[in-house]
Amino acid sequence: MKKWFIALAGVLLSVTLAGCGSQTVATTNGGKITESAYYSSLKGTSSGKQVLQQMILNKVLEKQYGSKVSKSAVTKQFNKYKSQYGSSFNSVLSQSGMTQSGLKTEIRSNLLLKEAVKDNVKVTDAQLKKQFKSYEPKVTVAHILVAKKSTANKIISDLKDTKKSNLTTEFTKLAKKYSTDTATKNKGGALSAFDSTDTSLDSTFKKAAFKLQTDEYTTTPVKTQYGYHVILMKNNPGKGTLKQHKAELTQQIIDNDMNDSTVLHNVVSKVLKKGNVSIKDNDLKNILSDYLSSSSASSSSK
């Protein structure tokens, strides 16, 4: 789950700094701990400073890009994660030290940061051309997974004797009979549509699939860590042109930037400078110096 969260200084904490005051935070038989004592102690730690950095960044991101991130967008991303983990969702949250509310807050922070990246990083023609070289649009396939190569070859032999008009029907029967993939065998081996950015499928599997045209199947078994696959291409729209896929390619580049610490540092620097941040506590006055120095911005930003 940590991969979902903002990468600023490795901050994944959800605690907040207490306000400076005399209110008691805790009592013991050895004395009490006040907010001011707690604050003074916490601000001297690296964790406390990172939390303050995150809080400041969230404030300026919300001011600059809050109108571009809707509640429905946060909910959509939240539901995607919930669906991905299914019945183990709550336990995964617990293991990550998160609550559902805290996760939604992190999702919103991440979406705000993505808007800042979009606004401050120029996607060049050279980047688009490079991304397009390895890009494959979404395809839909079915597969039959078996443990032995000889079994895969038998399936391929059966398919060779099948009329093209009956190919899908025959493939469905063979999947139900032979496939060891219990999640797909009763659905004719059908997998969810995927493109070249998919990370859930084996790279060898994807490479073999993208070579197929609609209604073609692999004529030799495809070996992966899971066994041997026979793949049927149900729909391959073709690669098309860069212009046709410019929006998807741009989004992929932005997603890559979200995992690039140098890009994020430069974007955060620009956002904080626009935010007119003023640190009132002298002990913390240099907390953003790494981001607000004149050399922070780079040529990768607008």
Side-chain angles (χ1 to χ4, degrees):
M1 277 191 156
K2 288 184 179 180
K3 66 182 179 181
W4 302 343
F5 307 150
I6 275 184
L8 173 63
V11 180
L12 300 173
L13 303 175
S14 58
V15 299
T16 58
L17 288 169
C20 186
S22 59
Q23 185 173 332
T24 299
V25 176
T27 60
T28 74
N29 56 13
K32 65 181 181 179
I33 299 172
T34 63
E35 283 184 342
S36 57
Y38 172 64
Y39 172 80
S40 295
S41 176
L42 188 59
K43 75 178 183 179
T45 67
S46 59
S47 295
K49 290 175 181 177
Q50 287 174 350
V51 170
L52 182 56
Q53 286 177 329
Q54 186 67 66
M55 292 174 70
I56 292 170
L57 178 59
N58 283 346
K59 287 287 187 182
V60 295
L61 283 173
E62 195 67 56
K63 173 67 175 178
Q64 295 174 32
Y65 302 103
S67 62
K68 295 185 177 182
V69 178
S70 65
K71 184 177 180 180
S72 61
V74 174
T75 300
K76 181 180 179 180
Q77 190 69 66
F78 177 85
N79 289 337
K80 180 180 178 181
Y81 295 144
K82 191 172 183 179
S83 174
Q84 178 183 343
Y85 283 91
S87 59
S88 63
F89 178 68
N90 287 330
S91 63
V92 173
L93 270 181
S94 180
Q95 291 168 14
S96 301
M98 294 290 295
T99 63
Q100 291 193 14
S101 176
L103 176 57
K104 287 181 179 179
T105 298
E106 295 289 354
I107 290 172
R108 181 168 183 82
S109 295
N110 202 54
L111 292 176
L112 287 169
L113 184 58
K114 181 175 284 190
E115 289 298 330
V117 171
K118 289 179 184 177
D119 190 36
N120 289 283
V121 176
K122 178 178 175 58
V123 175
T124 65
D125 289 341
Q127 285 178 300
L128 288 169
K129 289 177 182 178
K130 181 179 179 180
Q131 190 71 20
F132 185 63
K133 283 184 179 180
S134 60
Y135 175 68
E136 294 288 350
K138 280 190 175 182
V139 298
T140 305
V141 307
H143 81 129
I144 300 172
L145 174 65
V146 294
K148 296 181 178 180
K149 186 176 182 179
S150 58
T151 307
N153 279 323
K154 183 181 186 309
I155 293 168
I156 292 169
S157 178
D158 289 344
L159 291 173
K160 286 179 180 178
D161 296 329
T162 304
K163 291 182 179 180
K164 192 172 184 179
S165 58
N166 298 329
L167 187 59
T168 299
T169 301
E170 182 64 19
F171 196 91
T172 299
K173 290 179 181 178
L174 293 170
K176 190 172 184 179
K177 181 178 180 180
Y178 291 107
S179 186
T180 59
D181 184 355
T182 56
T184 66
K185 66 179 299 177
N186 292 323
K187 299 186 294 183
L191 294 172
S192 298
F194 60 90
D195 62 19
S196 52
T197 66
D198 181 274
T199 57
S200 64
L201 295 171
D202 185 277
S203 59
T204 302
F205 182 97
K206 290 192 296 181
K207 185 177 180 180
F210 289 135
K211 289 180 180 179
L212 301 171
Q213 300 299 313
T214 301
D215 292 330
E216 286 185 346
Y217 57 89
T218 49
T219 55
T220 57
V222 178
K223 189 178 186 304
T224 71
Q225 58 183 310
Y226 305 106
Y228 294 90
H229 306 258
V230 180
I231 307 170
L232 170 66
M233 177 59 68
K234 301 179 74 174
N235 181 42
N236 186 345
K239 185 162 182 172
T241 65
L242 187 155
K243 185 176 181 180
Q244 289 174 316
H245 299 290
K246 186 175 181 179
E248 299 102 300
L249 296 170
T250 300
Q251 185 59 56
Q252 289 172 15
I253 293 169
I254 293 297
D255 288 339
N256 291 337
D257 286 342
M258 288 292 290
N259 293 308
D260 188 320
S261 59
T262 301
V263 171
L264 289 181
H265 186 281
N266 293 330
V267 170
V268 168
S269 293
K270 292 182 71 70
V271 168
L272 290 175
K273 286 175 181 178
K274 291 178 184 177
N276 194 29
V277 179
S278 176
I279 307 297
K280 304 301 182 182
D281 189 315
N282 286 333
D283 294 332
L284 297 169
K285 63 182 180 181
N286 294 321
I287 195 172
L288 298 176
S289 59
D290 190 37
Y291 298 97
L292 297 179
S293 64
S294 59
S295 60
S296 290
S298 93
S299 59
S300 66
S301 298
K302 287 181 181 177

